Amino acid sequence: LNHMFSDAFIHNVPRDPEGRFFLDFNADCFEIIVKYLQAVQLSPNAPVPEVPPQQQQNMDILAEALNLKIFLRPNCILTGHGTSLQVNGNVVEAMHPGWQVISARDPLPMSGASYFEVKILANPDPTKGGLAFGICGHQPSGNEVFSIQLPDAILYNSHAGLVSQCVGMENVSKRIHFSAGSVVGLKHDISTRSLHWYFNRLCVGSCTIQPEVCEDFRVLFPVFALYVPGQKIQVDFRAIAPSATHGQKITGERQAQ
């Protein structure tokens, strides 16, 4: 904004008939930005405001266009997760038996396609399942973190397949074992509201989100579920989707245009 209203560029900012500057921005998102800037003036360590789910896509577009770095922060695993999982950066390890679900701190960018990867560092018995990843329309909390049967989630469970009541059409391969050393990935195509699943950088199928539940998926938090003690994963939100070989650099990070 400082750049936009500098002496060199202010003459390019359109005005209305009364001479007021006209900014063709989403009003709700711009209000969030202005209030945050005001808060920073009073307290330099003011927290980043939460974006309402219905405005996440608009905010992503605006933040990327204006290069608002505070809204383009790198994603990471949520620290206050309420599980027994051990978290070190983006490495997650199961310490006790039973489902433990943890999410990313921030949702995937909704301004375009997005992608993230999970490397399996350890999995004592990949033939029995118990290791899952996917997306959820909210950050699981409370008793939700002890089950992968979430109402607005789509996960792939090792050795089993998709776990969800929200999937429309799908052709995703089943019974894929998440062995130690393997890499799984997930790409969200916002234009078609579809998910594309990858195993060792090869697509193993895709699925769509049922149209009637799309409202529940205005935001998509990456989620990870571990069941067996000793399971260990490393999440990479900066991984570039395999489609990058065709000139598209799709990641799970928000980036300035």
Side-chain angles (χ1 to χ4, degrees):
L1 290 173
N2 184 56
H3 179 76
M4 179 184 295
F5 286 97
S6 65
D7 292 339
F9 294 96
I10 194 170
H11 62 277
N12 292 326
V13 181
R15 299 173 182 256
D16 66 11
E18 297 182 21
R20 297 172 298 191
F21 292 111
F22 176 75
L23 302 178
D24 189 15
F25 298 153
N26 178 280
D28 293 329
C29 294
F30 194 66
E31 181 182 10
I32 293 172
I33 294 169
V34 171
K35 287 184 175 180
Y36 171 71
L37 294 176
Q38 292 172 334
V40 169
Q41 292 293 318
L42 299 175
S43 174
N45 295 321
V48 179
E50 290 197 13
V51 178
Q54 65 270 23
Q55 295 295 345
Q56 188 65 60
Q57 183 176 8
N58 293 324
M59 179 59 85
D60 286 342
I61 293 171
L62 184 57
E64 292 179 6
L66 297 180
N67 192 21
L68 301 174
K69 295 186 184 300
I70 194 63
F71 292 95
L72 302 174
R73 61 184 182 177
N75 208 350
C76 62
I77 296 295
L78 185 68
T79 53
H81 45 83
T83 76
S84 64
L85 296 170
Q86 182 173 306
V87 179
N88 183 12
N90 286 332
V91 175
V92 182
E93 183 175 2
M95 310 303 293
H96 301 283
W99 281 119
Q100 302 277 308
V101 182
I102 191 170
S103 77
R105 180 190 61 192
D106 301 320
L108 291 172
M110 299 294 280
S111 56
S114 55
Y115 177 81
F116 66 93
E117 280 186 350
V118 181
K119 183 173 183 179
I120 315 303
L121 300 180
N123 190 6
D125 191 351
T127 64
K128 291 186 178 180
L131 183 58
F133 80 112
I135 52 93
C136 185
H138 69 287
Q139 290 177 314
S141 62
N143 288 334
E144 290 181 320
V145 302
F146 304 121
S147 172
I148 60 173
Q149 298 289 344
L150 299 168
D152 57 345
I154 303 175
L155 294 95
Y156 190 104
N157 186 14
S158 173
H159 186 64
L162 294 180
V163 178
S164 178
Q165 299 297 319
C166 305
V167 171
M169 299 178 60
E170 65 97 354
N171 61 357
V172 183
S173 300
K174 299 175 175 59
R175 303 182 71 82
I176 295 176
H177 298 164
F178 293 178
S179 303
S182 60
V183 176
V184 293
L186 178 58
K187 182 175 74 172
H188 172 236
D189 186 341
I190 193 168
S191 64
T192 59
R193 297 315 306 266
S194 60
L195 300 172
H196 304 265
W197 305 83
Y198 292 83
F199 182 73
N200 289 336
R201 306 282 294 176
L202 296 177
C203 186
V204 293
S206 61
C207 67
T208 59
I209 300 173
Q210 292 178 357
E212 58 268 28
V213 298
C214 279
E215 286 296 306
D216 297 329
F217 289 91
R218 288 190 175 186
V219 293
L220 300 178
F221 285 94
V223 290
F224 316 93
L226 294 78
Y227 189 88
V228 179
Q231 288 177 332
K232 191 174 184 179
I233 63 172
Q234 182 174 31
V235 183
D236 187 356
F237 297 106
R238 297 188 175 187
I240 298 174
S243 57
T245 56
H246 303 291
Q248 293 179 290
K249 287 194 175 182
I250 299 171
T251 75
E253 295 287 0
R254 291 166 173 78
Q255 301 176 8
Q257 294 180 358

